[in-house]
Structure formats: structure tokens, C-alpha cells
Amino acid sequence: MFDILLTGGVLPDGTQADIGITGDRIAAVGALAGSPAARVIEVPGDLISPPFVDPHFHMDATLSYGLPRVNASGTLLEGIALWGELREMATVDDMVNRAMRYCDWAVSMGLLAIRSHVDTTPDHLRGVEAMLEVKRRVAPYLDLQLVAFPQDGLYRSPTGRANLVRALDMGVDVVGGIPHFERTMEEGAESLRDLARLAADRGLMWDVHCDETDDPMSRHVETMAREVTRHGLGARAAGSHLTSMHSMDNYYVSKLLPLIAESGMTAIPNPLINITLQGRHDSYPKRRGLTRVREMQAQGITVGWGQDCVLDPWYSLGTADMLDVAFMGLHVAQMTHPAEMRRCFHMVTVDNARIMGLDGYGLAPGCLASLVVLDAGNPTEALRLRPDRLVVISKGRVVAQKQRNDTVLSIPGRDATVRRRL
Ligand SMILES: [Zn+2]
């Protein structure tokens, strides 16, 4: 007797399967139609995927677009300056309410695990307090991992290091970093040595905003990879953004990528944000500002896609849809081969789950019963349509549902409804 039985679905690898859920676990996958179940949900021909995962977000800033002003230049640096004002104005309640609203959006999109950076720069640490409260509230249905992020620099801000350590002591899960924002290249490198030691000593994961710049000489990822190897952090470390790699000399990159691969660290490009923020100092041709995704994957490096921002000082759009993120990444990285398009879907599910180190993730028996049903027949169609999420189940409970919603067409001689699925 299952608690929930999904019938007639299609898994991301194309297998047709029913899924039986008991308690918070997937109990069986296969031909289960007719089995006794407290609740049967028919999903004929619909894609059943493990939930979407976002390994890079800023939940303390989300849904604040226009506060205190819009970002007129569209640059990363103006965004940081605006955030510096906003974090002094925002109360804990403001940040909790905005973040909880964003988490509702995330659940409705089948996004059930998020790693969010939280700014540890201000002495009041209100953002940390707020995000720890959000983490506690959403825990029954959404896995929220928090990164202690020294937005204004570990050393550049006078209390930057002390506050980052305080945030970790308060319960923040992951060590952050921003070496390209320290005063000098040497201080950036020193910050990486310092932070890697901190992560290793505390047994924590490490996720660094690394080389988010168009400067091809911003080579902190080299030092980061060395420190990851030195401390044996492997896949527990992630380099976020890595946009300078886009502009680096090809010979240098041919040496760099094997160093990153050797370390076992992972990479998180954020295509929606960096296609808009980078290249702002260029005339034409304008650089795309996305790191070398396919080239890293060819070296065996795990690369995920991150959302980064929704409606905040850095980005004026966003819907908590990881398919939007993968769609943009697919375009900017030119991942248009059928295998690469499937890979893009894999990146916002399985690869991102590996980056976050999620336990029990997947659709096999014994995994946590968390999944999303999409109004699409396969992962590539899901990327093309970015369709409705028909059912979202988190840890054995249905947390979101949406009616299939086809357009009614009124054209003589043509079908009455438009189905964009093939
Ligand atoms: Zn970020």
C-alpha cells in the first residue's frame, strides 16, 4: 500500500515508469499501475524529474528590486553599492518576508534545494539572523544551505573576517569568499588560503565568488584549486562565477583546467546574471562573460547552473525557474547538440545536487520522495517550453499542483486547442 502512486510518467532517461511513495521515501519505481495506494495521481506521458536544485543564490537580497533605487549602470559594482545601502535599511522581518515569498515561488517551480549566500559584512548580521530563521521555517519542504559571504571583502572590510567567523558560529553551513574584491591580488590569494583552512578545520563546505570580473589577469581560481587540493576538500568546494576565465589567454587555460580537475572542486556559472553584468566596460565586440562550461565538463569537472539573483540590485527579472537558468546557459555556452541540451537539464538537477552534497537525491527506491512533474515529454522539451509544474512532491508530501492549461484557439479549420508539446 503506497501513500502516493504516480502513474504513466516518463523519467529523464526516457524510461516509462510509475512511482510509488511510502512515507518520505520512494518505495518502488516501475510498472505499478493497479497497486493499492491511498492517493493515485495520473501523469500520462509527463516528465517526472528529481527536483530542481539551485547551488547559487542571494536570498537576503531577493525581491528587493528598486530598493533603494534601481541599478542605473547595470554593473556589478553599482549593485554592490546599492546593496550596501539596502542591508542597513532592511529589518530582519523585511528579509524574512521577502525570502519566504521567494521560497513559495521556488516550491511552485519544483525547486526544492537552494544554496544561498548571506552577506556577513555588517556588524549587526541581521541578514544572517533572517536567513537562519527562513532556513528553520522552510526545512520541512525546502533544503536551504547558507554560505557565509564576506561581500565587502574578508580583509577589505575592517570586521570582515571576524563577522564571517561569527556567522559560522551562529550556524551558517558553508564558508564563502570573494578574492577578486580584496584590495590586491596578494590579499585575494591570502584570503583563499585563510578561508580554505577555516573550511578544512571546521569540516565545512567552501563556495567562493571567484574571479567574477572581465579581467583576464584575475586568476584566483588557480590559488583556490591549489588550496582545495592541499586540504583535500574535493567536491566539497565550489568556484562560483569564474567569469574571468572567459577572457583568459587560451594557453594559460590549457594549464588551469587540469589543475581544477585535479582538485575535484566543482564550478557554478550563473548565466542569467553574468550575461547582463559582464562586458559592461566593453564597446564592441562585447564579451559574454560566461566561464568555459563545455571545456570544464570535457575535463571531468562537475559544472552546475546557478540562478544567483531574482529581482534585486543586480538583476531585474527572474521567477525561481531553474529552466530559465538552463535555457540561458544553453544559449550563451552554445550547448545546442541534443546531448548538450540534455546535459543542461542534468546540470540543474543531478549536477547541482552533487555540488550541494544533497543526501537521498534521485528517483531510485530508497531516495527521498521529492520530485516534480512537468507538462513536457522529456528534458529537452522541458527546456524548450519551460512548462507548468503539474505536481511537486517534497519528502512525501504534495506541496504544489497546477492544472494543465492549453490555449483555446478560435481559427476556422484549425484545432481548437494549441499544444506546444510534440
Ligand atoms: Zn552570487
Side-chain angles (χ1 to χ4, degrees):
M1 175 83 174
F2 299 119
D3 295 325
I4 300 173
L5 177 60
L6 294 165
T7 61
V10 180
L11 307 185
D13 67 1
T15 312
Q16 298 201 348
D18 311 314
I19 294 184
I21 293 170
T22 304
D24 67 355
R25 296 280 154 176
I26 292 177
V29 180
L32 307 171
S35 302
R39 179 173 182 185
V40 176
I41 304 174
E42 294 178 2
V43 292
D46 295 322
L47 177 63
I48 305 177
S49 171
F52 294 108
V53 177
D54 180 4
H56 190 116
F57 195 64
H58 292 265
M59 207 174 279
D60 49 359
T62 197
L63 272 57
S64 67
Y65 181 67
L67 296 174
R69 298 174 298 286
V70 299
N71 182 336
S73 68
T75 58
L76 173 65
L77 293 179
E78 184 175 345
I80 292 174
L82 287 171
W83 168 243
E85 293 181 48
L86 179 57
R87 72 187 173 202
E88 296 307 319
M89 299 158 48
T91 66
V92 171
D93 281 351
D94 291 339
M95 285 187 275
V96 168
N97 291 338
R98 289 197 286 256
M100 289 302 295
R101 190 162 182 223
Y102 180 79
C103 289
D104 292 344
W105 294 7
V107 168
S108 77
M109 290 298 191
L111 168 55
L112 297 181
I114 300 173
R115 173 182 286 178
S116 175
H117 295 256
V118 51
D119 187 0
T120 58
T121 300
D123 292 343
H124 55 67
L125 290 181
R126 280 199 295 271
V128 175
E129 188 185 333
M131 293 308 108
L132 286 168
E133 172 62 15
V134 172
K135 178 184 164 92
R136 190 186 63 75
R137 288 194 200 178
V138 302
Y141 55 90
L142 190 149
D143 291 320
L144 179 58
Q145 241 177 33
L146 298 175
V147 186
F149 174 48
Q151 171 75 78
D152 291 9
L154 190 72
Y155 304 139
R156 189 167 164 180
S157 166
T159 51
R161 191 182 189 284
N163 288 347
L164 179 137
V165 170
R166 277 172 59 212
L168 296 175
D169 290 341
M170 287 166 71
V172 170
D173 312 270
V174 181
V175 177
I178 186 165
H180 57 274
F181 203 71
E182 305 294 347
R183 287 192 185 86
T184 64
M185 297 295 268
E186 179 44 39
E187 286 194 357
E190 178 51 33
S191 77
L192 289 169
R193 291 189 282 270
D194 192 355
L195 291 163
R197 219 175 297 121
L198 205 53
D201 288 350
R202 291 181 175 236
L204 298 177
M205 299 178 87
W206 189 31
D207 188 334
V208 177
H209 280 67
C210 197
D211 302 324
E212 188 182 9
T213 155
D214 292 321
D215 174 6
M217 297 311 292
S218 187
R219 294 176 169 188
H220 292 295
V221 64
E222 174 187 282
T223 305
M224 182 177 179
R226 180 71 192 95
E227 292 305 303
V228 171
T229 300
R230 186 194 309 281
H231 294 285
L233 292 170
R236 295 169 61 238
S240 283
H241 294 290
L242 305 178
T243 53
S244 73
M245 199 192 295
H246 179 104
S247 302
M248 284 172 181
D249 174 75
N250 287 331
Y251 181 84
Y252 174 68
V253 172
S254 76
K255 176 194 168 204
L256 175 65
L257 292 187
L259 286 175
I260 296 174
E262 178 190 320
S263 77
M265 64 181 273
T266 63
I268 311 170
N270 299 288
L272 287 168
I273 305 320
N274 288 127
I275 195 66
T276 51
L277 290 182
Q278 307 308 126
R280 291 276 180 165
H281 297 266
D282 292 356
S283 56
Y284 288 93
K286 254 184 212 302
R287 288 167 289 176
R288 296 170 183 224
L290 188 76
T291 193
R292 305 194 189 199
V293 177
R294 290 191 300 186
E295 293 76 5
M296 281 195 279
Q297 289 174 331
Q299 296 272 342
I301 299 163
T302 297
V303 185
W305 293 124
Q307 169 103 37
D308 202 3
C309 300
V310 167
L311 293 169
D312 69 10
W314 297 276
Y315 188 59
S316 48
L317 296 169
T319 60
D321 187 357
M322 292 308 292
L323 288 176
D324 280 349
V325 178
F327 185 79
M328 177 59 78
L330 183 160
H331 282 81
V332 182
Q334 299 180 320
M335 295 176 69
T336 50
H337 185 277
E340 291 174 330
M341 292 194 288
R342 287 194 293 275
R343 183 72 183 262
C344 282
F345 189 90
H346 199 264
M347 288 167 72
V348 290
T349 52
V350 178
D351 288 335
N352 281 351
R354 178 170 190 267
I355 289 169
M356 281 185 63
L358 298 180
D359 287 330
Y361 182 86
L363 294 179
C367 290
L368 269 180
S370 296
L371 55 83
V372 53
V373 179
L374 297 112
D375 191 3
N378 59 63
T380 306
E381 190 165 68
L383 279 164
R384 180 171 66 82
L385 298 175
R386 282 150 287 133
D388 286 341
R389 314 302 132 99
L390 301 171
V391 184
V392 181
I393 296 177
S394 177
K395 300 171 188 175
R397 288 185 52 239
V398 176
V399 288
Q401 276 183 286
K402 188 167 187 184
Q403 293 295 317
R404 209 182 295 276
N405 193 12
D406 292 329
T407 304
V408 175
L409 195 65
S410 301
I411 297 176
R414 301 303 302 158
D415 287 346
T417 55
V418 177
R419 289 282 280 156
R420 294 179 301 144
R421 276 175 66 169
L422 292 176

